[in-house]
Amino acid sequence: MKTSIAIVGSGLVGTVLAIALKQKGFNVVVYEKGNDIRTIDFSGRSINLALSERGWKMLRRVGLEQQVMQLAIPMYQRAIHQLEKAEQQPYGINGEAIWAISRGGLNKQLVSWAEEQGVKFSFNTPIWNLDLKKGLLYTAKKESDQWKEIEHDVIIGADGAYSRVRNAMQKHSMFEYHQSYLPIGYKELVIPAVNKTEFAIDKNSFHIWPRKDFMLIALPNIDGSFTCTLFMPFKGEVAFEKLNTESEVKLFFKTYFPDALVLMPNLVEVFLNNPINPLVTTKCYPWVYKDKVALIGDAAHAVVPFYGQGLNAGLEDVDVLLSIIEENNEDWGIIFEKYQKLRKINGDAIAELSFRNFREMSELTADNLFLLQKKIESRFAKKYPELWLPLYDRVTFSADSYQQALEIGDKQAEIMKIIMETRNIEHKWDSEEIEKLLLQLVIKNTK
């Protein structure tokens, strides 16, 4: 008889995992503390997603790539909105795109697709605690009520950054857990469609208004609107705490984002009504308990959104776990140990990469020397693809592990520091001299 598997959490990663396991013939039940996710309004709290190759690979594996693409829009470049001008920065060296998609819209579709494939969902079933050894989930309407036991062979926690499954694991000795918040938060805004269907700005760009310590971004939706996110410190000279009235909000946007202001007719109402949300990173170890329990996605490794890899990393968790299951014939102790060994190091790596990328997005995208460095890297990578792949491309468009990307990216950064310190680099960046120097440094570094 096939293993009975409980998945706690009906978010994106949990639902894709449920589909994949059901396709393998397992008995799968997804437990969700709240209402059917298809009845929930996600507005105000959801940063739009940027799907890239790691995520598409997993969706391809379960046969959902084409359906999801119908809900997404490709973004081939960053559109950088400086106060004086706007310019484009292509993403991939070979014209690749990342895909914008609504988190709520995708989640709702995934639940419906999962039900069509026979996955069972138990909504309004909060999980308050677990018996890890016996594989028991404890539920009740309220935590103070008498708990009811639910038994499964295997339990997988896909219940996000504030995971109840992880919380139960923390009660066992030798469990390491670290949670940290950035001093900045985010608020969701919107650029509505023009005439209800037309895009107000280029739909195939990831729009960024970089202002060093804060920034505004905008990602397209299939209805012609853009979901915007303002990232900014909670406290300080320019901070959320200073924006509490209609006049303060209008003056702030007129000063720092004048071209965005004219695109947001309902800015003040939306700004004052939507919440300010925190940005959290979580790390923990172990991710598994014997052959009974495992964590996946944000429950194991929540990251800040600045590399657009949160969902992609979670779906890659699923992809790796599935491959291990296929190789180990339901020996869950071995399966979970191999999964943890492969994914923990990569979860830590993408957390570090995501943290670093805030500076690139909010500050460096408006720095001329940084943009010149990107040009040098792109030119060299196209000529010597076997020797150089820029960090962004390695993270977003390649199959290399996050750990490899972090290690190689650090080495590349050291090389580019030497290149950018070359005298008159602005005038000879595309010269044979610079190409030879870069080639020498790369070959030396690989010996």
Side-chain angles (χ1 to χ4, degrees):
M1 186 176 176
K2 275 284 187 179
T3 303
S4 166
I5 301 175
I7 297 173
V8 182
S10 66
L12 297 162
V13 172
T15 305
V16 171
L17 175 61
I19 292 170
L21 292 173
K22 186 64 180 177
Q23 289 177 351
K24 295 290 181 191
F26 293 105
N27 299 311
V28 184
V29 182
V30 179
Y31 296 93
E32 172 58 47
K33 65 181 178 182
N35 295 330
D36 186 331
I37 211 158
R38 290 165 291 188
T39 68
I40 295 172
D41 179 7
F42 280 80
S43 63
R45 296 178 182 274
S46 176
I47 299 172
N48 265 29
L49 302 165
L51 266 169
S52 55
E53 180 52 31
R54 297 171 200 273
W56 287 121
K57 181 186 177 188
M58 185 58 230
L59 292 170
R60 207 174 296 132
R61 185 167 184 167
V62 292
L64 292 176
E65 180 183 30
Q66 293 306 313
Q67 292 98 309
V68 174
M69 276 192 173
Q70 300 304 309
L71 307 173
I73 296 175
M75 301 180 292
Y76 298 96
Q77 59 193 359
R78 288 170 171 164
I80 307 300
H81 299 258
Q82 300 182 41
L83 282 170
E84 321 79 40
K85 60 180 180 177
E87 59 186 352
Q88 284 73 43
Q89 299 170 11
Y91 270 126
I93 57 173
N94 298 307
E96 298 95 337
I98 58 175
W99 293 69
I101 191 165
S102 160
R103 176 184 294 276
L106 175 58
N107 208 156
K108 292 174 182 183
Q109 285 293 334
L110 284 171
V111 170
S112 293
W113 291 332
E115 283 188 337
E116 289 171 8
Q117 298 199 32
V119 174
K120 294 178 182 178
F121 286 83
S122 182
F123 296 107
N124 296 304
T125 309
I127 303 302
W128 301 114
N129 206 346
L130 283 78
D131 185 320
L132 302 183
K133 294 179 181 178
K134 295 180 181 178
L136 296 177
L137 300 166
Y138 294 108
T139 185
K141 189 173 182 180
K142 295 186 295 185
E143 191 171 5
S144 58
D145 291 345
Q146 181 68 42
W147 290 349
K148 172 188 171 186
E149 292 181 356
I150 306 172
E151 186 173 3
H152 285 275
D153 299 319
V154 167
I155 298 167
I156 301 178
D159 49 342
Y162 304 101
S163 169
R164 279 280 179 167
V165 178
R166 187 186 63 232
N167 187 56
M169 294 172 69
Q170 283 177 246
K171 295 171 185 175
H172 285 251
S173 64
M174 305 296 287
F175 189 94
E176 299 173 10
Y177 176 65
H178 178 74
Q179 173 181 282
S180 61
Y181 287 91
L182 290 184
I184 62 173
Y186 72 91
K187 185 182 282 278
E188 183 185 301
L189 305 169
V190 64
I191 294 175
V194 178
N195 300 323
K196 296 186 178 180
T197 59
E198 299 171 20
F199 292 91
I201 47 181
D202 180 42
K203 73 173 184 177
N204 296 119
S205 296
F206 185 121
H207 294 268
I208 306 176
W209 287 259
R211 301 295 184 263
K212 192 174 181 180
D213 295 324
F214 57 98
M215 68 175 172
L216 179 71
I217 66 171
L219 284 81
N221 298 303
I222 55 175
D223 66 358
S225 68
F226 286 80
T227 297
C228 304
T229 310
L230 175 63
F231 297 96
M232 194 163 62
F234 291 105
K235 298 180 178 181
E237 187 175 339
V238 180
F240 280 120
E241 69 173 353
K242 300 290 180 67
L243 303 178
N244 299 301
T245 67
E246 179 176 338
S247 59
E248 288 169 346
V249 172
K250 281 186 174 179
L251 178 60
F252 170 75
F253 272 81
K254 186 176 181 180
T255 303
Y256 295 107
F257 309 115
D259 58 332
L261 176 61
V262 299
L263 303 173
M264 300 179 178
N266 300 320
L267 168 66
V268 173
E269 178 186 355
V270 174
F271 190 98
L272 295 178
N273 286 336
N274 279 353
I276 303 166
N277 304 291
L279 293 167
V280 64
T281 297
T282 61
K283 296 179 182 180
C284 66
Y285 187 82
W287 286 13
V288 304
Y289 180 83
K290 298 183 178 179
D291 61 349
K292 282 294 183 183
V293 182
L295 302 172
I296 202 163
D298 283 357
H301 54 80
V303 300
V304 292
F306 304 122
Y307 229 116
Q309 286 295 302
L311 173 60
N312 294 291
L315 292 182
E316 191 172 64
D317 288 346
V318 178
D319 187 45
V320 170
L321 179 59
L322 278 184
S323 295
I324 297 169
I325 290 170
E326 290 171 355
E327 294 165 1
N328 291 276
N329 194 30
E330 295 192 56
D331 187 333
W332 292 95
I334 292 175
I335 288 167
F336 284 164
E337 192 56 43
K338 287 184 176 180
Y339 158 72
Q340 174 177 258
K341 185 176 181 180
L342 286 172
R343 294 307 294 164
K344 164 61 178 171
I345 192 171
N346 287 296
D348 288 349
I350 192 57
E352 176 62 23
L353 288 163
S354 299
F355 177 78
R356 292 183 189 180
N357 215 45
F358 175 71
R359 181 167 179 256
E360 177 169 325
M361 291 178 68
S362 66
E363 180 178 355
L364 297 181
T365 51
D367 181 88
N368 288 330
L369 271 181
F370 177 78
L371 300 181
L372 180 62
Q373 176 179 323
K374 290 293 185 185
K375 282 185 180 179
I376 296 169
E377 287 192 65
S378 179
R379 181 174 181 271
F380 188 77
K382 287 177 181 177
K383 192 163 184 180
Y384 302 98
E386 73 284 359
L387 294 179
W388 193 279
L389 184 65
L391 176 60
Y392 187 89
D393 296 68
R394 194 177 297 278
V395 170
T396 309
F397 304 122
S398 86
D400 286 1
S401 73
Y402 290 128
Q403 179 62 24
Q404 287 175 307
L406 180 60
E407 290 177 357
I408 295 171
D410 284 345
K411 292 177 182 177
Q412 289 179 336
E414 292 172 8
I415 291 171
M416 290 309 300
K417 186 173 185 291
I418 296 171
I419 294 294
M420 298 310 293
E421 288 173 350
T422 304
R423 189 172 180 180
N424 294 325
I425 187 64
E426 298 96 329
H427 303 293
K428 58 183 181 182
W429 67 272
D430 58 351
S431 66
E432 187 177 342
E433 175 192 343
I434 295 300
E435 182 181 317
K436 283 184 176 179
L437 175 57
L438 187 45
L439 193 56
Q440 288 170 5
L441 291 169
V442 171
I443 292 171
K444 180 182 176 182
N445 198 264
T446 54
K447 286 181 178 178

